[in-house]
Every structure is written in C-alpha cells, then in structure tokens.
Amino acid sequence: QVQLVESGGGLVQPGGSLRLSCQAPGFTFSSYAMSWSRQVPGKERELVAGISRSGGSTVYADSVKGRFTISRDNAKNTVFLQMNALKPEDTAVYFCGATYSSLSAYVPRELGGVDYWGKGTLVTVSS
C-alpha cells in the first residue's frame, strides 16, 4: 500500500519561508511523477507544483511561480516544496500527490491524474 507522509508545515510570518517534505517509503518512487496541492476549507484543492519522475521538468501555478520550488530525491523517496516570500493567502493544508507514469518527462498539471494522496500538513502564514 502506497503511503505518503507530509511534514514541515507550521506557523510563519508573512515574508518567511518553510520547506515541506513528503516521504514515500516502500514503493517505486522513481516511477511516479509527484505534485504538491493545497486546499483552504470551503474551497477547491489547487495544484501548486508538479515534478517529473527524474526531476528534470517542473510546473508551477501562477500564484506561486518565482516563490515556490519543487524538488525530489529519488534515493530517499522524498519530494520537497521550498516556499519563500510567503503570503497570508498561502495559508492552506498542503498535500503531496503521486501519479504513476510510464513517461519520464510527464509532469502532473491536473488533480484528476493523481493516484495517491498524503493526509496533508497545515501551513499558516500570519503575523
């Protein structure tokens, strides 16, 4: 059974930084494109960043482009989301997602293609 475990969330002031991690023990991590999404209660989940199996291709939502960076370490079965210049509107529960793909260059751009989700980690940006 695929298990994704997010960590690194917390309270940060506007302008600050956080680094989220998602560990995926016990499955063929390098066969999955990975993504980070976020959700505010009462609103739809939004995909904010995606990365290909090798890490060579990435995509970002316009709302986070230039501030967030997604990366992965296939040797450690871990995907990261470095979040800089955080804004109050970045406050949300952040979810890690895994999408199986036979294409090495595939990058998730839609939520519908995600095969597995983590349980999420809360990020609160407030002074």
Side-chain angles (χ1 to χ4, degrees):
Q1 183 176 356
V2 175
Q3 184 179 13
L4 304 177
V5 182
E6 301 97 337
S7 62
L11 174 65
V12 63
Q13 291 186 343
S17 298
L18 279 176
R19 190 192 196 202
L20 305 183
S21 299
C22 171
Q23 289 190 303
F27 84 119
T28 313
F29 185 72
S30 59
S31 294
Y32 288 78
M34 301 298 293
S35 58
W36 286 96
S37 303
R38 66 187 181 186
Q39 189 168 21
V40 176
K43 294 190 176 181
E44 292 187 354
R45 192 171 296 190
E46 169 193 24
L47 192 148
V48 297
I51 189 167
S52 61
R53 287 166 39 185
S54 67
S57 298
T58 57
V59 294
Y60 297 93
D62 288 342
S63 58
V64 306
K65 202 170 293 183
R67 300 187 297 122
F68 290 11
T69 302
I70 188 171
S71 61
R72 65 189 295 162
D73 184 341
N74 285 350
K76 297 182 178 179
N77 281 26
T78 304
V79 62
F80 305 96
L81 185 68
Q82 177 67 43
M83 305 186 295
N84 298 329
L86 283 161
K87 305 174 181 180
E89 51 264 43
D90 294 318
T91 296
V93 178
Y94 284 72
F95 298 90
C96 172
T99 304
Y100 177 80
S101 177
S102 60
L103 301 175
S104 60
Y106 170 77
V107 181
R109 288 176 169 82
E110 299 177 346
L111 298 178
V114 175
D115 297 308
Y116 302 102
W117 290 102
K119 294 184 178 180
T121 185
L122 176 64
V123 172
T124 303
V125 184
S126 175
S127 55

